[in-house]
Amino acid sequence: MLYEKIIPAQGHSFEKRVFNMKHFNVHWHHHDEFELIIITSGFGKRFTGNKIAPFKEGDLVLIGPNIPHFHLCDQVFFELNSMTVSSEAIYFNNNIFPQNIETGAEFASIKRLLRDSQGGVKFHTQGMDDPIVKRILEVSHIDGFKGLIELYSILHTLSEYRYDILITEDNTVNLSEEEMQLPGNKAYQYINKHFKEKVTLGDVAKYAGLTPAALCRRFKQISGKSLFDYLSEVRIEFSYKLLAESTLPISMVAQEAGFQNVSHFNRVFKKLSGVTPKEYKRQHQRRI
């Protein structure tokens, strides 16, 4: 099972990500953060702990920390056609809340919702037309403190929605120090920390304590993809924020995301997102 580390953009205490691809990645993963996720297109099966249920466009789910999960798209998304899937997710942890969340009356309903999310919760909404869904989709366009306050408000509103708890027993994953030192997780940690730099297979293998060939086999087994495919995904996900929220030229975005040249960045970006960096910037750029 893959452990993911979510890295908020500089100056942000939570992370908003947009996914648009042929099909969602098929591997069990977990992370320390809460994940509030909207399926904006696509359908298939949602795996949350020991619970399997259908997912479709408009689904809104809150998954608590270290709950293993993944989305398996319907077979049609793995076939040769133009169909794609997409989602938007907000990742946050308890550090975004004041220290008195346990005793503050204002946070009582949010605290209950977060507690229930330890089993994963699916909200009863009106799909993509629901007002709360539209607010969540706009979060990435709100700066700094106002964005944090809006997230508080969204969570408070969601705490008043009807929702179903997906799993009833404890399915959380707590990695021991020994598990954190396993080669696969160490490789994952190294990439998450150094993706902005030049990353070589030799450096990652040395950190993980394996030969390069053994690391490639191990990483493929646990993640379903190559180490450098994962590195590219991390870099491209980081570049989304820069393209949407900064005035940096595309060449500088490529450099900040760890790419050695802009041509390679453009090719990888188009492969993973389906559009060029220039098109993505035009679609998502805020008026700065």
Side-chain angles (χ1 to χ4, degrees), residues 97-125:
F97 300 106
Q99 292 183 349
N100 68 339
I101 184 175
E102 291 299 322
T103 57
E106 296 84 356
F107 287 94
S109 62
I110 294 178
K111 185 174 69 172
R112 172 179 51 79
L113 174 62
L114 297 182
R115 183 184 66 242
D116 287 347
S117 77
Q118 298 302 316
V121 298
K122 181 179 181 297
F123 298 95
H124 291 228
T125 69

Side-chain angles (χ1 to χ4, degrees), residues 13 92-98 152:
S13 57
F92 62 93
N93 57 36
N94 282 317
N95 293 336
I96 71 168
F97 300 106
Y152 285 172

Side-chain angles (χ1 to χ4, degrees), residues 216-250:
C216 288
R217 289 194 300 271
R218 183 71 60 84
F219 199 87
K220 182 76 172 180
Q221 288 171 351
I222 65 173
S223 69
K225 67 187 72 175
S226 77
L227 185 146
F228 286 102
D229 282 345
Y230 173 69
L231 173 62
S232 293
E233 289 180 4
V234 172
R235 286 172 168 169
I236 294 302
E237 286 175 5
F238 179 75
S239 74
Y240 290 152
K241 278 282 187 183
L242 295 182
L243 289 169
E245 300 186 2
S246 79
T247 57
L248 290 175
I250 289 173

Side-chain angles (χ1 to χ4, degrees), residues 124-284:
H124 291 228
T125 69
Q126 302 168 35
M128 295 300 295
D129 294 327
D130 198 289
I132 197 65
V133 169
K134 295 179 179 180
R135 286 174 61 190
I136 293 169
L137 297 179
E138 288 297 317
V139 164
S140 59
H141 301 297
I142 305 174
D143 281 327
F145 183 71
K146 290 182 180 179
L148 180 60
I149 295 302
E150 175 64 2
L151 179 55
Y152 285 172
S153 179
I154 286 170
L155 291 172
H156 182 267
T157 301
L158 285 174
S159 71
E160 298 175 339
Y161 270 56
R162 289 178 55 219
Y163 57 77
D164 299 320
I165 298 178
L166 300 177
I167 48 182
T168 55
E169 63 248 38
D170 186 7
N171 277 268
T172 58
V173 176
N174 296 303
L175 291 184
S176 66
E177 182 60 32
E178 181 180 355
E179 289 170 316
M180 289 295 288
Q181 297 305 313
L182 291 174
N185 283 326
K186 291 199 71 174
Y188 202 91
Q189 295 164 34
Y190 186 93
I191 292 173
N192 288 340
K193 183 177 180 180
H194 297 282
F195 71 91
K196 295 182 183 181
E197 308 162 16
K198 183 178 180 180
V199 175
T200 69
L201 179 58
D203 288 339
V204 184
K206 182 178 179 181
Y207 184 79
L210 292 174
T211 66
L215 174 62
C216 288
R217 289 194 300 271
R218 183 71 60 84
F219 199 87
K220 182 76 172 180
Q221 288 171 351
I222 65 173
S223 69
K225 67 187 72 175
S226 77
L227 185 146
F228 286 102
D229 282 345
Y230 173 69
L231 173 62
S232 293
E233 289 180 4
V234 172
R235 286 172 168 169
I236 294 302
E237 286 175 5
F238 179 75
S239 74
Y240 290 152
K241 278 282 187 183
L242 295 182
L243 289 169
E245 300 186 2
S246 79
T247 57
L248 290 175
I250 289 173
S251 59
M252 286 297 296
V253 170
Q255 183 177 331
E256 287 293 317
F259 287 89
Q260 299 299 304
N261 65 74
V262 71
S263 297
H264 184 217
F265 171 63
N266 287 337
R267 287 195 302 272
V268 175
F269 194 98
K270 179 70 178 290
K271 178 182 177 182
L272 294 181
S273 71
V275 297
T276 66
K278 184 177 181 179
E279 290 169 335
Y280 185 91
K281 188 178 183 73
R282 184 175 63 249
Q283 294 168 5
H284 296 83

